[in-house]
Amino acid sequence: MRLVIARCSVDYAGRLTAHLPMAPRLILVKADGSVSVHADDRAYKPLNWMSPPCTLKEADGGVWTVINKAGEKLIITMAEILHDSSHELGTDPGLIKDGVEAHLQELLADRMETLGTGWSLIRREYPTAIGPVDILGRDGEGITVAVEIKRRGEIDGVEQLTRYLELLNRDPHLAPVKGVFAAQEIKPQARVLAADRGIDCVTLDYNALRGIDDDKLRLF
């Protein structure tokens, strides 16, 4: 990973245009080729980013041009570099899920038909640049579906699935991709946010799934 702190401006040109005026920012270039630009707030969410596969070209004068396979560009103009370092992080072991959550994922992957007639599994732990999607499958109409599984469904889980969907829908081999947020309990605020973003919510009964009782799985 390369970590750069710089006074810079950022311009995005693609499906739309966006401009970040000159300011101090953190720029991360990861081993997978992704580039993200961060402010000193907003927690983990970048101000702008380019997901892999993409290429980074550094020109004289401190101008970085990042281009993805769709031809979209992220142009970072450096006025002053305050820090520039590289760090080898090695292979990440991945997220270790709570036992019940991991078992829910395993059970649902083995019984995709409980989500609907004709549903099928593509892959568990489908990799993306920002982490693995719990389950990637297809519904009865052949549409790709990303399923995020939690024990307790809250707003942050919906936000996580939203980010996955944004990335997955950039892949022409998968798009369109719709989302399903599945949990043993889903908070009302999470349901509202999911509905606003076109994501279906599924309430899972762990014991019913283990006992093979489809009546205990409710799709809202």
Side-chain angles (χ1 to χ4, degrees):
M1 174 186 288
R2 184 177 178 186
L3 185 156
V4 176
I5 299 174
R7 287 186 60 252
C8 63
S9 63
V10 183
D11 292 277
Y12 167 79
R15 292 167 295 176
L16 47 81
T17 59
H19 174 72
L20 293 172
M22 191 70 65
R25 296 191 176 91
L26 168 65
I27 304 164
L28 296 178
V29 183
K30 294 187 178 180
D32 62 6
S34 62
V35 178
S36 57
V37 181
H38 300 259
D40 199 16
D41 60 7
R42 305 189 184 206
Y44 53 83
K45 189 173 183 179
L47 298 167
N48 215 326
W49 69 94
M50 195 68 80
S51 300
C54 57
T55 58
L56 168 61
K57 296 181 180 179
E58 299 182 45
D60 294 338
V63 178
W64 291 13
T65 302
V66 187
I67 306 175
N68 66 12
K69 63 181 181 180
E72 299 170 310
K73 294 183 180 180
L74 198 63
I75 301 172
I76 305 172
T77 304
M78 312 283 190
E80 180 183 10
I81 295 179
L82 306 172
H83 176 87
D84 189 346
S85 63
S86 297
H87 307 271
E88 179 57 56
L89 301 184
T91 303
D92 191 272
L95 179 66
I96 299 175
K97 295 180 178 288
D98 155 296
V100 173
E101 190 173 305
H103 200 195
L104 278 170
Q105 181 192 123
E106 181 182 352
L107 288 168
L108 197 55
D110 286 342
R111 302 180 60 231
M112 290 293 288
E113 72 280 358
T114 59
L115 291 172
T117 303
W119 284 58
S120 60
L121 176 70
I122 295 175
R123 179 173 171 175
R124 290 176 56 193
E125 300 289 340
Y126 186 88
T128 77
I130 58 173
V133 178
D134 287 338
I135 291 176
L136 194 71
R138 295 194 191 281
D139 68 10
E141 297 178 354
I143 296 174
T144 309
V145 185
V147 184
E148 181 63 26
I149 299 172
K150 301 291 184 186
R151 286 187 62 187
R152 185 172 179 174
E154 301 191 33
I155 284 177
D156 59 349
V158 179
E159 293 282 11
Q160 181 182 0
L161 179 54
T162 300
R163 294 192 298 275
Y164 288 147
L165 290 171
E166 184 173 353
L167 285 177
L168 293 170
N169 274 299
R170 295 181 185 181
D171 187 337
H173 298 294
L174 297 176
V177 183
K178 65 181 185 180
V180 170
F181 187 53
Q184 290 177 282
E185 174 191 1
I186 301 178
K187 294 296 183 180
Q189 299 93 331
R191 288 188 182 280
V192 171
L193 182 60
D196 181 68
R197 296 184 176 178
I199 294 172
D200 290 330
C201 287
V202 173
T203 302
L204 299 173
D205 186 314
Y206 180 55
N207 291 327
L209 280 174
R210 289 190 298 172
I212 315 178
D213 183 354
D214 289 347
D215 292 337
K216 295 295 185 180
L217 181 65
R218 302 190 303 277
L219 176 63
F220 294 89

